[in-house]
Amino acid sequence: MGLIFALETSCDDTAAAIVDSTGSILADMCYSQQEEHAAYGGVVPEIGSRSHIAQINYITRKAFNTANKYPEDMCAIAATFAPGLIGPLLVGANFAKGLSLACSRSLIAIHHIEGHILSGWGEPNFPKPPFLCLIVSGGHSAIYVCEKNFTMKTLGQTLDDAAGEAFDKIGRFLGLGYPAGKIIDQRARLGDPKSYAMPIAMREKTHMNFSFSGLKTHGLNLLREKSSWHTQEINNFLASFQEAICQALIQKIILATQNTGLKKIVLGGGVAANSRLRELISQECHKHKLDYFLPPKNLCTDNAVMIARAAQIKYQQKKFSNLTTDVRATLGLEEKIKLNII
Ligand code: KG4
Ligand code: ZN
């Protein structure tokens, strides 16, 4: 069965999961801190760290109880070691180290973005590498290639804000709560995307990078122009803003297929739950005769199943970590050596 227990605590979710060697999910638990941070319009690291400490034992026990398994039934213990908020990462990584020591099982350190890329591993339509990945979250927006042996290479990334960050900042200005992506997605469905002209940066076909800060500033300036907005005007604004983000993402991932000759695309990260992005990727892939994989929406936003699935691949490749492996707030996907993967 080769079961792996994994923790994900890089930001504001205390998540634990148990997955078998085929990727099947035996347990998928998550405590979301969203309400604890909502009043501040963003994640407060100190509150986050303390909340992870308060929840991690309970969430871990819940995962083992749900799967009806014991730590000794696992072949490895995994956790997110990078990138993320240092305090929250330390809570999950040290808990995982303690558990691996207590039950004498291997420790596997996972890169959060690798988790997003492999969130659908084991699902029926998940492609065999090599494939392209478009990972769009609150902290990252980037295009990667996942090579045959599951090594990842960055092809392009945002030069400033991530797409989710742009959604969240507009949402914060409008008082839509935090994070705002899901509510913007719902409100945009009620609006006309052609209502407001929005800039799409980096249209040139010479590279695969993104930029969303100009769009965000343009959006905020538009909103400041008038003191009162009708509900329908806001829906129209949000639909136009969302359309610009989705078009920018789609243009670059299609360019990546042309530049690399790869014909399979995997989406991931919280923004991959966006209904317009999901609709556009299916339309464009159909038009360009490409294959695509969209993870179920619950596996797009942060979760521990994706960490457990990424750990299954590391386990099969015998890429283990040890008690000296340290967490890192920032770490490129290519820099895994710094996670002491041995
Ligand atoms: O992957 P994730 O859960 O956490 C990070 O690793 O950052 O992504 C969170 C981001 C937030 O910015 C949130 O606003 C955005 O994903 N998000 C969405 C949707 N659901 C979550 N953005 C657009 N449409 C959605 N449906
Ligand atoms: Zn994430």
Side-chain angles (χ1 to χ4, degrees):
M1 285 283 276
L3 301 177
I4 291 186
F5 170 80
L7 288 164
E8 155 57 42
T9 63
S10 65
C11 191
D12 56 352
D13 294 297
T14 314
I18 298 174
V19 158
D20 76 11
S21 56
T22 67
S24 288
I25 303 167
L26 281 76
D28 176 15
M29 300 298 146
C30 185
Y31 166 78
S32 167
Q33 301 174 357
Q34 269 174 27
E35 278 179 20
E36 294 178 54
H37 301 288
Y40 305 95
V43 178
V44 184
E46 178 77 16
I47 294 175
S49 308
R50 289 174 189 276
S51 178
H52 284 304
I53 290 171
Q55 297 296 333
I56 199 160
N57 193 38
Y58 170 71
I59 290 292
T60 297
R61 281 178 185 278
K62 226 171 134 184
F64 282 112
N65 286 342
T66 304
N68 201 16
K69 298 288 173 196
Y70 293 95
E72 292 74 18
D73 298 325
M74 304 297 115
C75 63
I77 306 294
T80 308
F81 274 62
L85 299 169
I86 276 296
L89 283 171
L90 276 169
V91 178
N94 283 320
F95 195 95
K97 283 181 184 177
L99 193 58
S100 83
L101 194 61
C103 64
S104 306
R105 293 295 180 269
S106 310
L107 177 71
I108 301 181
I110 296 295
H111 190 290
H112 183 77
I113 299 302
E114 207 162 17
H116 276 305
I117 293 171
L118 298 170
S119 66
W121 179 80
E123 307 257 339
N125 300 323
F126 193 79
K128 283 201 167 60
F131 54 78
L132 287 167
C133 325
L134 174 63
I135 301 302
V136 220
S137 70
H140 297 86
S141 295
I143 294 176
Y144 304 97
V145 55
C146 174
E147 292 175 338
K148 259 191 176 158
N149 54 357
F150 287 99
T151 51
M152 315 284 177
K153 273 207 185 117
T154 309
L155 296 183
Q157 58 193 324
T158 180
L159 302 181
D160 38 57
D161 292 1
E165 195 181 344
F167 277 131
D168 293 339
K169 285 185 178 157
I170 290 290
R172 181 178 181 170
F173 184 86
L174 289 169
L176 299 178
Y178 177 86
K182 193 171 173 185
I183 179 92
I184 291 178
D185 185 352
Q186 287 159 358
R187 299 264 317 244
R189 277 181 233 167
L190 308 171
D192 175 4
K194 297 201 179 74
S195 306
Y196 296 91
M198 297 282 173
I200 296 181
M202 311 254 151
R203 294 190 97 127
E204 59 273 28
K205 294 195 165 179
T206 47
H207 60 81
M208 290 167 270
N209 295 324
F210 309 102
S211 164
F212 295 108
S213 85
L215 171 66
K216 176 197 68 187
T217 306
H218 178 82
L220 290 171
N221 288 343
L222 256 178
L223 290 171
R224 286 191 192 108
E225 266 174 21
K226 274 201 311 179
S227 54
S228 78
W229 286 70
H230 294 299
T231 304
Q232 188 54 45
E233 285 176 323
I234 298 217
N235 293 345
N236 289 343
F237 167 85
L238 293 174
S240 307
F241 188 80
Q242 174 183 271
E243 189 65 20
I245 289 193
C246 294
Q247 292 291 351
L249 293 169
I250 293 288
Q251 279 173 22
K252 291 292 169 149
I253 189 69
I254 297 297
L255 177 65
T257 63
Q258 291 159 355
N259 287 354
T260 61
L262 291 171
K263 296 198 171 300
K264 294 183 271 187
I265 302 171
V266 168
L267 257 68
V271 181
N274 183 271
S275 48
R276 178 62 182 147
L277 185 63
R278 293 170 85 90
E279 181 180 64
L280 268 178
I281 194 90
S282 96
Q283 281 172 10
E284 288 298 308
C285 286
H286 186 72
K287 191 165 116 195
H288 295 275
K289 297 191 170 44
L290 302 164
D291 288 335
Y292 65 97
F293 176 85
L294 286 170
K297 288 188 183 181
N298 63 313
L299 294 184
C300 290
T301 44
D302 288 351
N303 63 85
V305 168
M306 67 185 202
I307 304 303
R309 285 179 165 170
Q312 283 288 359
I313 290 167
K314 291 274 173 295
Y315 184 80
Q316 285 161 24
Q317 296 177 336
K318 300 192 172 26
K319 287 186 177 164
F320 300 114
S321 299
N322 60 36
L323 295 179
T324 69
T325 307
D326 206 359
V327 298
R328 313 261 321 182
T330 53
L331 186 76
L333 256 186
E334 288 88 351
E335 298 177 273
K336 280 190 298 258
I337 191 75
K338 290 188 185 147
L339 284 184
N340 275 8
I341 291 169
I342 47 177

